[in-house]
Amino acid sequence: MFSRHLTAQRLQLLQSLLIGAGASTLSLLASRAGILPQLSSSNLLPRLGILLSLAWGMAWVCGAVAQPFWRFAVLFCTLAQVLFVSHLAKTFEVSFSGWPLTLCLLTAAGIPEWIRHRAARSTELELDPSFFQPAAFRPSPTALAESARIAASLPPQRVPCTVLYCELVNNSTLADTLPPAACASFLNRLLFLYEETATAHGGRTDRSSSEGFRSVFCTAYGIEEHPEAALHAALAIRGRVQNISQECAVKFGQDLDVRIGVSTGEVLLATFGPAQKQTSSIAGETAEWAQRLAGANMIYGSRILISARTGLLGGHSVERRPIDLLQRHLPPHPPEDVFEVLALQHTLDTETLARLRLYREGVALFRARKWAPARIKLRAARPAGATDEAVDLLLMRIDEQESRATHVQTGA
Protein backbone atom coordinates (compact mmCIF):
# COMPACT_ATOMS: atom_id res chain seq x y z
CA MET A 1 0.00 0.00 0.00
CA PHE A 2 2.88 2.35 0.80
CA SER A 3 4.50 1.59 -2.57
CA ARG A 4 1.19 2.42 -4.28
CA HIS A 5 1.16 5.86 -2.59
CA LEU A 6 4.80 6.38 -3.55
CA THR A 7 4.07 5.55 -7.18
CA ALA A 8 1.14 7.97 -7.22
CA GLN A 9 3.33 10.74 -5.80
CA ARG A 10 5.97 10.10 -8.44
CA LEU A 11 3.35 10.31 -11.18
CA GLN A 12 2.05 13.55 -9.66
CA LEU A 13 5.59 14.94 -9.57
CA LEU A 14 6.25 13.94 -13.20
CA GLN A 15 2.96 15.43 -14.34
CA SER A 16 3.71 18.68 -12.52
CA LEU A 17 7.17 18.89 -14.10
CA LEU A 18 5.75 18.32 -17.57
CA ILE A 19 3.03 20.92 -17.08
CA GLY A 20 5.55 23.37 -15.63
CA ALA A 21 7.93 22.86 -18.57
CA GLY A 22 5.10 23.37 -21.03
CA ALA A 23 3.83 26.53 -19.32
CA SER A 24 7.30 28.09 -19.06
CA THR A 25 8.12 27.20 -22.67
CA LEU A 26 4.86 28.79 -23.86
CA SER A 27 5.61 31.98 -21.93
CA LEU A 28 9.16 32.20 -23.28
CA LEU A 29 7.98 31.63 -26.85
CA ALA A 30 5.35 34.35 -26.45
CA SER A 31 8.02 36.72 -25.15
CA ARG A 32 10.49 35.87 -27.90
CA ALA A 33 7.77 36.33 -30.54
CA GLY A 34 6.98 39.80 -29.23
CA ILE A 35 3.47 38.89 -28.08
CA LEU A 36 4.48 39.55 -24.47
CA PRO A 37 7.20 41.84 -23.06
CA GLN A 38 10.52 40.31 -22.14
CA LEU A 39 11.46 39.45 -18.57
CA SER A 40 14.09 41.66 -16.92
CA SER A 41 16.98 39.19 -17.28
CA SER A 42 18.77 39.24 -20.61
CA ASN A 43 20.06 35.69 -20.14
CA LEU A 44 17.78 32.86 -21.22
CA LEU A 45 18.71 30.43 -18.44
CA PRO A 46 17.73 32.66 -15.47
CA ARG A 47 14.43 33.49 -17.16
CA LEU A 48 13.75 29.82 -17.82
CA GLY A 49 14.64 28.94 -14.22
CA ILE A 50 12.25 31.55 -12.81
CA LEU A 51 9.37 30.49 -15.06
CA LEU A 52 9.95 26.77 -14.60
CA SER A 53 10.11 26.95 -10.79
CA LEU A 54 6.93 29.03 -10.56
CA ALA A 55 5.07 26.89 -13.09
CA TRP A 56 6.10 23.62 -11.47
CA GLY A 57 5.04 24.81 -8.02
CA MET A 58 1.66 26.05 -9.26
CA ALA A 59 1.04 22.83 -11.22
CA TRP A 60 1.87 20.77 -8.13
CA VAL A 61 -0.50 22.77 -5.91
CA CYS A 62 -3.39 22.63 -8.41
CA GLY A 63 -2.86 18.92 -9.00
CA ALA A 64 -2.28 17.73 -5.42
CA VAL A 65 -4.57 19.95 -3.30
CA ALA A 66 -8.12 18.60 -3.19
CA GLN A 67 -9.93 21.69 -1.83
CA PRO A 68 -10.73 24.25 -4.59
CA PHE A 69 -10.59 27.13 -2.10
CA TRP A 70 -6.92 26.58 -1.30
CA ARG A 71 -5.94 26.00 -4.93
CA PHE A 72 -7.46 29.30 -6.03
CA ALA A 73 -6.20 31.07 -2.91
CA VAL A 74 -2.60 30.12 -3.75
CA LEU A 75 -3.08 31.19 -7.38
CA PHE A 76 -4.63 34.52 -6.36
CA CYS A 77 -1.88 35.27 -3.83
CA THR A 78 0.85 34.45 -6.33
CA LEU A 79 -0.68 36.68 -9.01
CA ALA A 80 -1.03 39.42 -6.41
CA GLN A 81 2.69 39.14 -5.64
CA VAL A 82 3.53 39.43 -9.34
CA LEU A 83 1.41 42.57 -9.54
CA PHE A 84 3.11 43.97 -6.44
CA VAL A 85 6.59 43.31 -7.87
CA SER A 86 5.59 45.02 -11.12
CA HIS A 87 4.44 48.05 -9.14
CA LEU A 88 7.71 48.15 -7.19
CA ALA A 89 9.70 47.87 -10.42
CA LYS A 90 7.92 50.92 -11.82
CA THR A 91 8.44 52.81 -8.58
CA PHE A 92 12.20 52.19 -8.61
CA GLU A 93 12.44 52.48 -12.42
CA VAL A 94 13.60 48.90 -12.89
CA SER A 95 12.80 47.02 -16.11
CA PHE A 96 10.38 44.24 -15.24
CA SER A 97 7.24 42.81 -16.88
CA GLY A 98 4.82 40.56 -15.05
CA TRP A 99 2.92 39.40 -18.14
CA PRO A 100 5.12 36.34 -18.89
CA LEU A 101 4.90 35.26 -15.27
CA THR A 102 1.13 35.76 -15.25
CA LEU A 103 0.68 33.69 -18.42
CA CYS A 104 2.97 31.02 -16.99
CA LEU A 105 1.04 30.79 -13.71
CA LEU A 106 -2.38 30.75 -15.37
CA THR A 107 -1.32 28.02 -17.79
CA ALA A 108 0.24 25.90 -15.04
CA ALA A 109 -2.92 26.24 -12.93
CA GLY A 110 -5.39 25.81 -15.80
CA ILE A 111 -4.09 22.49 -17.14
CA PRO A 112 -4.53 20.55 -13.84
CA GLU A 113 -7.98 22.12 -13.39
CA TRP A 114 -8.93 21.00 -16.90
CA ILE A 115 -7.66 17.49 -16.19
CA ARG A 116 -9.57 17.41 -12.89
CA HIS A 117 -12.75 18.62 -14.63
CA ARG A 118 -12.44 15.97 -17.34
CA ALA A 119 -11.89 13.25 -14.74
CA ALA A 120 -14.94 14.38 -12.75
CA ARG A 121 -17.16 14.35 -15.83
CA SER A 122 -16.16 10.82 -16.72
CA THR A 123 -18.77 8.48 -15.26
CA GLU A 124 -17.24 5.25 -16.52
CA LEU A 125 -14.30 3.58 -14.83
CA GLU A 126 -11.67 1.84 -16.88
CA LEU A 127 -11.67 -1.53 -15.15
CA ASP A 128 -9.59 -4.48 -16.04
CA PRO A 129 -11.98 -7.17 -17.39
CA SER A 130 -10.05 -9.78 -15.42
CA PHE A 131 -11.25 -8.03 -12.25
CA PHE A 132 -14.56 -9.84 -12.57
CA GLN A 133 -12.99 -13.23 -13.21
CA PRO A 134 -12.54 -15.45 -10.13
CA ALA A 135 -9.07 -16.54 -11.18
CA ALA A 136 -7.79 -12.98 -10.98
CA PHE A 137 -8.59 -12.80 -7.28
CA ARG A 138 -8.02 -16.38 -6.23
CA PRO A 139 -5.13 -16.35 -3.73
CA SER A 140 -2.48 -18.98 -4.13
CA PRO A 141 -2.58 -21.89 -1.66
CA THR A 142 0.97 -21.03 -0.63
CA ALA A 143 -0.01 -17.45 0.30
CA LEU A 144 -3.01 -18.64 2.31
CA ALA A 145 -0.96 -21.26 4.12
CA GLU A 146 1.75 -18.72 4.95
CA SER A 147 -0.83 -16.23 6.27
CA ALA A 148 -2.42 -18.91 8.46
CA ARG A 149 0.98 -20.00 9.76
CA ILE A 150 1.95 -16.43 10.70
CA ALA A 151 -1.40 -15.81 12.41
CA ALA A 152 -1.21 -19.05 14.39
CA SER A 153 2.31 -18.30 15.57
CA LEU A 154 1.41 -14.90 17.00
CA PRO A 155 0.88 -14.71 20.78
CA PRO A 156 -2.45 -13.33 22.05
CA GLN A 157 -2.27 -9.57 21.70
CA ARG A 158 -4.32 -6.48 21.06
CA VAL A 159 -3.64 -5.03 17.63
CA PRO A 160 -5.05 -2.11 15.62
CA CYS A 161 -7.01 -3.33 12.65
CA THR A 162 -9.95 -2.66 10.35
CA VAL A 163 -12.82 -5.13 10.28
CA LEU A 164 -15.04 -5.56 7.23
CA TYR A 165 -18.37 -7.29 7.79
CA CYS A 166 -20.74 -8.31 4.98
CA GLU A 167 -24.29 -9.28 5.91
CA LEU A 168 -26.83 -10.90 3.59
CA VAL A 169 -29.90 -9.37 5.20
CA ASN A 170 -32.44 -11.38 3.17
CA ASN A 171 -30.73 -14.71 3.81
CA SER A 172 -33.82 -16.35 5.34
CA THR A 173 -36.05 -15.20 2.46
CA LEU A 174 -33.69 -16.71 -0.08
CA ALA A 175 -33.52 -19.99 1.86
CA ASP A 176 -37.33 -20.20 2.03
CA THR A 177 -38.18 -19.21 -1.57
CA LEU A 178 -35.37 -20.38 -3.85
CA PRO A 179 -34.94 -24.02 -4.92
CA PRO A 180 -32.48 -25.62 -2.47
CA ALA A 181 -29.80 -26.34 -5.06
CA ALA A 182 -30.04 -22.83 -6.55
CA CYS A 183 -29.94 -21.16 -3.13
CA ALA A 184 -26.87 -23.13 -2.07
CA SER A 185 -25.17 -22.29 -5.37
CA PHE A 186 -25.77 -18.56 -5.06
CA LEU A 187 -24.67 -18.46 -1.41
CA ASN A 188 -21.49 -20.38 -2.15
CA ARG A 189 -20.68 -18.07 -5.05
CA LEU A 190 -21.30 -15.09 -2.78
CA LEU A 191 -19.00 -16.44 -0.06
CA PHE A 192 -16.31 -17.15 -2.64
CA LEU A 193 -16.67 -13.60 -3.96
CA TYR A 194 -16.30 -12.17 -0.45
CA GLU A 195 -13.16 -14.13 0.31
CA GLU A 196 -11.30 -13.66 -2.94
CA THR A 197 -12.02 -9.92 -3.10
CA ALA A 198 -11.04 -9.29 0.51
CA THR A 199 -7.93 -11.45 0.17
CA ALA A 200 -6.90 -9.59 -2.98
CA HIS A 201 -6.89 -6.37 -0.96
CA GLY A 202 -4.86 -7.86 1.88
CA GLY A 203 -7.64 -9.03 4.20
CA ARG A 204 -7.82 -12.35 6.00
CA THR A 205 -11.09 -14.24 6.37
CA ASP A 206 -12.09 -14.46 10.01
CA ARG A 207 -15.68 -15.70 9.76
CA SER A 208 -17.75 -17.03 6.87
CA SER A 209 -21.32 -18.35 6.90
CA SER A 210 -24.48 -18.11 4.86
CA GLU A 211 -25.56 -15.08 6.90
CA GLY A 212 -22.37 -13.07 7.14
CA PHE A 213 -18.69 -12.75 6.29
CA ARG A 214 -15.95 -11.05 8.30
CA SER A 215 -12.49 -10.13 7.09
CA VAL A 216 -9.64 -8.53 9.06
CA PHE A 217 -7.10 -6.04 7.71
CA CYS A 218 -4.22 -5.28 10.07
CA THR A 219 -0.49 -4.72 10.35
CA ALA A 220 -0.05 -8.20 11.83
CA TYR A 221 -1.02 -9.53 8.39
CA GLY A 222 1.29 -7.13 6.58
CA ILE A 223 -1.25 -4.37 5.73
CA GLU A 224 -0.06 -0.98 6.96
CA GLU A 225 -2.82 1.15 5.39
CA HIS A 226 -5.55 -1.22 6.56
CA PRO A 227 -8.47 1.31 6.66
CA GLU A 228 -7.91 2.25 3.03
CA ALA A 229 -7.50 -1.39 1.97
CA ALA A 230 -10.75 -2.37 3.71
CA LEU A 231 -12.67 0.51 2.09
CA HIS A 232 -11.44 -0.43 -1.37
CA ALA A 233 -12.37 -4.05 -0.70
CA ALA A 234 -15.86 -3.00 0.42
CA LEU A 235 -16.44 -1.02 -2.78
CA ALA A 236 -15.12 -3.88 -4.89
CA ILE A 237 -17.42 -6.34 -3.14
CA ARG A 238 -20.41 -4.03 -3.63
CA GLY A 239 -19.69 -3.79 -7.36
CA ARG A 240 -19.20 -7.51 -7.86
CA VAL A 241 -22.27 -8.48 -5.83
CA GLN A 242 -24.46 -6.53 -8.25
CA ASN A 243 -23.75 -9.00 -11.05
CA ILE A 244 -24.75 -12.08 -9.02
CA SER A 245 -27.71 -10.22 -7.54
CA GLN A 246 -29.05 -9.29 -10.98
CA GLU A 247 -28.72 -12.90 -12.11
CA CYS A 248 -30.65 -14.12 -9.07
CA ALA A 249 -33.35 -11.47 -9.61
CA VAL A 250 -33.80 -12.43 -13.26
CA LYS A 251 -34.03 -16.16 -12.54
CA PHE A 252 -35.95 -16.21 -9.26
CA GLY A 253 -37.24 -12.69 -8.60
CA GLN A 254 -35.03 -12.20 -5.53
CA ASP A 255 -31.90 -10.08 -5.28
CA LEU A 256 -28.95 -10.61 -2.94
CA ASP A 257 -29.30 -7.78 -0.43
CA VAL A 258 -25.76 -7.40 0.91
CA ARG A 259 -24.97 -4.63 3.40
CA ILE A 260 -21.42 -3.85 4.56
CA GLY A 261 -19.99 -2.33 7.74
CA VAL A 262 -16.37 -1.27 8.26
CA SER A 263 -14.84 -0.38 11.62
CA THR A 264 -11.30 0.50 12.73
CA GLY A 265 -9.89 0.04 16.23
CA GLU A 266 -8.16 -2.38 18.59
CA VAL A 267 -9.13 -6.05 18.74
CA LEU A 268 -7.86 -9.10 20.57
CA LEU A 269 -5.99 -11.34 18.14
CA ALA A 270 -5.54 -14.89 19.42
CA THR A 271 -6.24 -18.54 18.67
CA PHE A 272 -9.62 -19.85 19.79
CA GLY A 273 -11.29 -23.26 19.85
CA PRO A 274 -10.60 -26.79 21.09
CA ALA A 275 -6.98 -27.84 21.34
CA GLN A 276 -7.02 -29.79 18.08
CA LYS A 277 -9.06 -27.24 16.11
CA GLN A 278 -7.74 -23.90 17.21
CA THR A 279 -7.81 -21.11 14.62
CA SER A 280 -6.60 -17.55 14.69
CA SER A 281 -9.45 -15.08 15.12
CA ILE A 282 -10.35 -11.70 16.62
CA ALA A 283 -12.63 -10.56 19.41
CA GLY A 284 -13.66 -7.14 20.62
CA GLU A 285 -16.07 -4.24 20.30
CA THR A 286 -14.54 -3.07 17.01
CA ALA A 287 -15.69 -6.25 15.29
CA GLU A 288 -19.14 -5.98 16.87
CA TRP A 289 -19.47 -2.37 15.70
CA ALA A 290 -18.70 -3.40 12.11
CA GLN A 291 -21.53 -5.95 12.28
CA ARG A 292 -23.91 -3.39 13.79
CA LEU A 293 -23.05 -0.92 11.04
CA ALA A 294 -23.79 -3.53 8.39
CA GLY A 295 -27.29 -3.97 9.82
CA ALA A 296 -27.79 -0.21 10.27
CA ASN A 297 -27.63 0.22 6.49
CA MET A 298 -31.25 -0.93 6.38
CA ILE A 299 -32.36 2.24 8.19
CA TYR A 300 -30.77 4.63 5.72
CA GLY A 301 -31.03 2.69 2.46
CA SER A 302 -27.24 2.63 2.21
CA ARG A 303 -24.88 -0.21 1.27
CA ILE A 304 -21.64 0.63 3.08
CA LEU A 305 -21.43 2.33 6.47
CA ILE A 306 -18.11 3.05 8.16
CA SER A 307 -17.07 4.20 11.61
CA ALA A 308 -15.67 7.63 12.41
CA ARG A 309 -12.13 6.31 12.85
CA THR A 310 -12.23 4.44 9.54
CA GLY A 311 -13.34 7.64 7.86
CA LEU A 312 -10.58 9.60 9.58
CA LEU A 313 -7.78 7.21 8.59
CA GLY A 314 -8.96 5.98 5.18
CA GLY A 315 -11.67 8.38 4.08
CA HIS A 316 -9.26 10.37 1.89
CA SER A 317 -9.35 7.58 -0.70
CA VAL A 318 -13.15 7.46 -1.11
CA GLU A 319 -16.12 9.76 -1.58
CA ARG A 320 -18.26 9.64 1.56
CA ARG A 321 -21.02 11.56 3.28
CA PRO A 322 -22.11 11.91 6.92
CA ILE A 323 -25.14 9.73 7.53
CA ASP A 324 -26.02 9.97 11.26
CA LEU A 325 -24.84 10.12 14.86
CA LEU A 326 -25.20 6.66 16.39
CA GLN A 327 -24.79 5.69 20.05
CA ARG A 328 -21.87 3.29 19.92
CA HIS A 329 -21.13 3.23 23.65
CA LEU A 330 -23.46 3.78 26.56
CA PRO A 331 -23.79 7.31 27.98
CA PRO A 332 -22.03 9.42 29.06
CA HIS A 333 -20.11 8.64 25.86
CA PRO A 334 -21.33 10.89 23.01
CA PRO A 335 -22.77 9.39 19.82
CA GLU A 336 -20.37 8.65 16.99
CA ASP A 337 -20.44 10.10 13.49
CA VAL A 338 -21.14 7.40 10.90
CA PHE A 339 -20.41 7.82 7.19
CA GLU A 340 -21.73 6.23 4.02
CA VAL A 341 -19.16 5.32 1.37
CA LEU A 342 -20.31 6.23 -2.13
CA ALA A 343 -17.40 5.60 -4.49
CA LEU A 344 -13.67 5.83 -4.95
CA GLN A 345 -12.24 9.32 -4.83
CA HIS A 346 -12.45 11.36 -8.06
CA THR A 347 -14.91 8.94 -9.72
CA LEU A 348 -18.18 10.83 -9.23
CA ASP A 349 -19.55 13.05 -12.00
CA THR A 350 -19.98 16.80 -11.58
CA GLU A 351 -23.72 16.64 -10.91
CA THR A 352 -23.34 14.03 -8.18
CA LEU A 353 -20.54 16.02 -6.54
CA ALA A 354 -22.75 19.11 -6.53
CA ARG A 355 -25.58 17.18 -4.85
CA LEU A 356 -23.11 15.73 -2.37
CA ARG A 357 -21.98 19.23 -1.41
CA LEU A 358 -25.60 20.32 -0.91
CA TYR A 359 -26.24 17.23 1.21
CA ARG A 360 -23.26 17.96 3.47
CA GLU A 361 -24.38 21.56 3.90
CA GLY A 362 -27.89 20.34 4.72
CA VAL A 363 -26.61 17.92 7.35
CA ALA A 364 -24.50 20.68 8.94
CA LEU A 365 -27.57 22.94 9.12
CA PHE A 366 -29.68 20.08 10.47
CA ARG A 367 -27.21 19.41 13.29
CA ALA A 368 -27.16 23.15 14.02
CA ARG A 369 -30.97 22.90 14.40
CA LYS A 370 -31.59 25.35 11.54
CA TRP A 371 -34.55 23.46 10.16
CA ALA A 372 -35.76 25.70 7.33
CA PRO A 373 -32.42 26.17 5.50
CA ALA A 374 -31.55 22.51 6.14
CA ARG A 375 -34.80 21.45 4.40
CA ILE A 376 -33.97 23.61 1.37
CA LYS A 377 -30.47 22.18 1.03
CA LEU A 378 -31.58 18.57 1.50
CA ARG A 379 -34.39 18.85 -1.02
CA ALA A 380 -31.93 20.28 -3.53
CA ALA A 381 -29.60 17.33 -2.83
CA ARG A 382 -32.20 14.78 -3.97
CA PRO A 383 -31.31 13.04 -7.24
CA ALA A 384 -33.64 13.85 -10.12
CA GLY A 385 -36.18 11.09 -10.74
CA ALA A 386 -34.90 8.95 -7.87
CA THR A 387 -35.20 8.61 -4.13
CA ASP A 388 -32.61 9.01 -1.42
CA GLU A 389 -33.66 7.31 1.80
CA ALA A 390 -31.06 9.13 3.88
CA VAL A 391 -32.36 12.51 2.67
CA ASP A 392 -35.97 11.44 3.21
CA LEU A 393 -35.18 10.36 6.76
CA LEU A 394 -33.58 13.72 7.57
CA LEU A 395 -36.54 15.60 6.09
CA MET A 396 -38.90 13.50 8.19
CA ARG A 397 -36.87 14.32 11.31
CA ILE A 398 -37.04 18.02 10.46
CA ASP A 399 -40.83 17.79 10.19
CA GLU A 400 -40.95 16.03 13.56
CA GLN A 401 -38.78 18.67 15.23
CA GLU A 402 -40.86 21.52 13.84
CA SER A 403 -44.08 19.79 14.85
CA ARG A 404 -42.74 19.22 18.35
CA ALA A 405 -41.71 22.88 18.62
CA THR A 406 -45.19 23.94 17.52
CA HIS A 407 -46.84 21.73 20.16
CA VAL A 408 -44.56 23.14 22.85
CA GLN A 409 -45.40 26.71 21.86
CA THR A 410 -49.11 25.90 21.73
CA GLY A 411 -49.00 24.26 25.14
CA ALA A 412 -47.14 27.20 26.55
Side-chain angles (χ1 to χ4, degrees):
M1 196 65 63
F2 175 76
S3 61
R4 185 194 306 174
H5 287 309
L6 190 59
T7 302
Q9 290 180 357
R10 288 175 178 173
L11 290 176
Q12 181 69 49
L13 177 62
L14 178 60
Q15 176 180 298
S16 301
L17 288 173
L18 292 175
I19 294 174
S24 57
T25 302
L26 176 64
S27 301
L28 280 178
L29 290 176
S31 298
R32 299 282 289 182
I35 301 175
L36 296 176
Q38 295 283 343
L39 284 173
S40 59
S41 175
S42 60
N43 195 339
L44 180 62
L45 289 180
R47 282 183 289 169
L48 179 61
I50 294 172
L51 290 173
L52 184 58
S53 60
L54 286 174
W56 172 75
M58 186 55 61
W60 173 263
V61 169
C62 291
V65 177
Q67 293 80 6
F69 172 80
W70 293 112
R71 297 200 302 269
F72 290 110
V74 171
L75 176 61
F76 175 79
C77 292
T78 309
L79 292 175
Q81 292 179 25
V82 173
L83 182 63
F84 179 67
V85 172
S86 299
H87 176 72
L88 287 180
K90 291 181 181 179
T91 302
F92 292 98
E93 298 181 352
V94 177
S95 175
F96 177 81
S97 173
W99 287 109
L101 293 177
T102 301
L103 174 64
C104 184
L105 289 170
L106 291 176
T107 304
I111 294 177
E113 291 296 331
W114 178 79
I115 295 174
R116 190 187 302 272
H117 178 71
R118 293 281 297 179
R121 288 181 59 87
S122 177
T123 58
E124 296 184 0
L125 292 176
E126 295 293 332
L127 297 179
D128 185 357
S130 63
F131 176 85
F132 296 99
Q133 300 175 4
F137 273 95
R138 187 177 298 123
S140 65
T142 304
L144 286 177
E146 181 65 16
S147 176
R149 186 190 66 79
I150 293 175
S153 63
L154 293 174
Q157 56 183 307
R158 288 185 174 85
V159 296
C161 76
T162 299
V163 180
L164 181 149
Y165 190 88
C166 304
E167 181 177 355
L168 182 62
V169 297
N170 62 338
N171 171 68
S172 58
T173 302
L174 295 172
D176 293 339
T177 58
L178 266 63
C183 182
S185 175
F186 275 111
L187 292 181
N188 285 328
R189 289 170 60 187
L190 189 62
L191 293 174
F192 181 74
L193 180 153
Y194 291 152
E195 182 168 1
E196 67 175 2
T197 309
T199 303
H201 288 82
R204 183 177 184 276
T205 301
D206 185 71
R207 179 183 298 176
S208 184
S209 68
S210 61
E211 298 179 356
F213 169 86
R214 189 168 74 187
S215 184
V216 182
F217 301 76
C218 68
T219 54
Y221 300 143
I223 306 299
E224 297 294 334
E225 301 291 338
H226 48 85
E228 181 180 350
L231 291 177
H232 286 207
L235 286 169
I237 289 173
R238 186 189 67 179
R240 300 187 69 199
V241 164
Q242 291 178 354
N243 294 332
I244 302 180
S245 180
Q246 290 174 0
E247 180 185 344
C248 187
V250 169
K251 292 181 177 179
F252 303 103
Q254 296 284 348
D255 60 356
L256 303 179
D257 194 356
V258 175
R259 310 293 173 126
I260 302 173
V262 184
S263 176
T264 301
E266 274 198 350
V267 297
L268 173 62
L269 175 63
T271 54
F272 300 98
Q276 302 300 325
K277 298 181 180 180
Q278 286 190 345
T279 58
S280 176
S281 184
I282 62 168
E285 190 274 338
T286 298
E288 294 179 0
W289 186 236
Q291 185 172 353
R292 290 168 60 189
L293 289 177
N297 281 286
M298 298 294 292
I299 303 174
Y300 310 101
S302 53
R303 293 289 169 181
I304 305 174
L305 288 181
I306 65 173
S307 68
R309 187 163 182 80
T310 304
L312 176 65
L313 298 179
H316 60 276
S317 65
V318 296
E319 300 289 355
R320 57 193 172 104
R321 64 176 183 174
I323 204 71
D324 206 348
L325 295 171
L326 299 183
Q327 195 70 46
R328 178 173 181 175
H329 303 284
L330 294 176
H333 293 283
E336 178 176 308
D337 205 353
V338 172
F339 298 89
E340 178 189 4
V341 176
L342 303 175
L344 292 174
Q345 192 180 35
H346 304 314
T347 59
L348 296 179
D349 57 81
T350 306
E351 181 183 352
T352 305
L353 287 173
R355 287 192 287 104
L356 179 58
R357 183 181 66 256
L358 290 171
Y359 174 87
R360 288 169 176 163
E361 293 173 355
V363 171
L365 291 169
F366 172 82
R367 294 180 179 178
R369 305 182 69 82
K370 299 179 181 179
W371 311 127
R375 179 186 285 109
I376 295 174
K377 292 288 186 180
L378 291 172
R379 285 178 175 174
R382 275 175 168 168
T387 60
D388 190 320
E389 295 183 37
V391 172
D392 293 340
L393 180 60
L394 287 172
L395 291 174
M396 183 180 68
R397 290 179 177 176
I398 290 175
D399 293 338
E400 291 175 352
Q401 292 293 334
E402 289 183 335
S403 176
R404 187 177 303 168
T406 302
H407 286 313
V408 171
Q409 292 175 359
T410 304

